[in-house]
């Protein structure tokens, strides 16, 4: 009986540690442009205040244009540790900027807290 209790306590402790170990954040989805293409579309569905993260690579001097057809319900931000602040989200229907340095850039889409609890988004990213 005593060995069974020790086994049970050990099992419960290891199970608890395993649950806590899985609490990390998911990796962002990589945006890949098709061969010969300059653009890609990201789409999905989010609830109020939820975010979805993507990452894209670009080279210094390239121009990035983000078209947000759903700007009334969704906003976005672009982040890179060295060149962009992890600041405010942008609600512009179109946003264009030049890549300051070759590397990966985090692109986050967020559902605004509006009357509709959930909605579908579609944003086009053009890199040229």
């Amino acid at each position: 009986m005593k060995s069974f209790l020790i086994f049970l306590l050990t099992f419960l402790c290891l199970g608890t540690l395993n649950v806590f170990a899985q609490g990390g954040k998911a990796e962002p989805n990589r945006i890949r442009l098709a061969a010969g293409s300059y653009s890609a579309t990201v789409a999905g569905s989010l609830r109020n205040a939820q975010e979805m993260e993507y990452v894209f690579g670009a080279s210094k001097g390239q121009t990035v244009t983000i078209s947000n057809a759903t700007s009334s319900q969704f906003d976005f931000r672009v982040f890179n540790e060295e060149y962009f602040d992890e600041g405010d989200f942008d609600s512009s229907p179109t946003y264009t900027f030049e890549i300051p340095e070759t590397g990966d850039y985090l692109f986050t889409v967020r559902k605004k807290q509006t009357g509709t609890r959930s909605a579908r988004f579609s944003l086009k990213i053009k890199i040229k």
Side-chain angles (χ1 to χ4, degrees), residues 2-28:
K2 187 176 180 180
S3 62
F4 176 75
L5 285 174
I6 292 172
F7 171 77
L8 183 61
L9 287 173
T10 303
F11 178 77
L12 290 174
C13 289
L14 290 175
T16 303
L17 290 174
N18 190 31
V19 168
F20 287 122
Q22 295 178 9
K25 193 172 183 180
E27 290 291 317

Side-chain angles (χ1 to χ4, degrees), residues 17 20 26 29 36 45 87 93-94 98 106 111-112 115 117 121 126:
L17 290 174
F20 287 122
N29 299 313
S45 182
T94 304
E98 186 175 307
L106 185 65
K111 168 74 172 74
K112 295 178 185 179
R117 289 185 183 199
F121 66 88
K126 183 178 176 183

Side-chain angles (χ1 to χ4, degrees), residues 25 53 77-80 84-89 106 108:
K25 193 172 183 180
E53 291 184 340
R77 73 174 167 208
V78 177
F79 172 73
N80 175 289
F84 287 94
D85 292 336
E86 195 171 0
D88 295 334
F89 280 81
L106 185 65
T108 305

Side-chain angles (χ1 to χ4, degrees), residues 3 8 47 52 74 80 84 96 98 102 104 110 124:
S3 62
L8 183 61
R47 298 180 68 98
M52 189 167 293
F74 294 91
N80 175 289
F84 287 94
T96 301
E98 186 175 307
T102 299
D104 280 341
R110 177 180 68 181
K124 183 176 181 179

Side-chain angles (χ1 to χ4, degrees), residues 9-116:
L9 287 173
T10 303
F11 178 77
L12 290 174
C13 289
L14 290 175
T16 303
L17 290 174
N18 190 31
V19 168
F20 287 122
Q22 295 178 9
K25 193 172 183 180
E27 290 291 317
N29 299 313
R30 171 131 335 240
I31 298 171
R32 299 188 192 282
L33 304 181
S37 177
Y38 296 106
S39 66
T41 300
V42 295
S45 182
L46 293 172
R47 298 180 68 98
N48 280 342
Q50 278 187 324
E51 298 178 359
M52 189 167 293
E53 291 184 340
Y54 298 90
V55 66
F56 65 89
S59 300
K60 181 178 181 174
Q62 285 186 305
T63 300
V64 175
T65 301
I66 299 170
S67 300
N68 183 4
T70 52
S71 63
S72 65
Q73 295 189 47
F74 294 91
D75 48 15
F76 62 88
R77 73 174 167 208
V78 177
F79 172 73
N80 175 289
E81 288 181 3
E82 296 179 36
Y83 299 100
F84 287 94
D85 292 336
E86 195 171 0
D88 295 334
F89 280 81
D90 194 299
S91 293
S92 303
T94 304
Y95 177 70
T96 301
F97 65 97
E98 186 175 307
I99 294 292
E101 196 63 46
T102 299
D104 280 341
Y105 292 81
L106 185 65
F107 175 67
T108 305
V109 179
R110 177 180 68 181
K111 168 74 172 74
K112 295 178 185 179
Q113 294 214 10
T114 62
T116 57

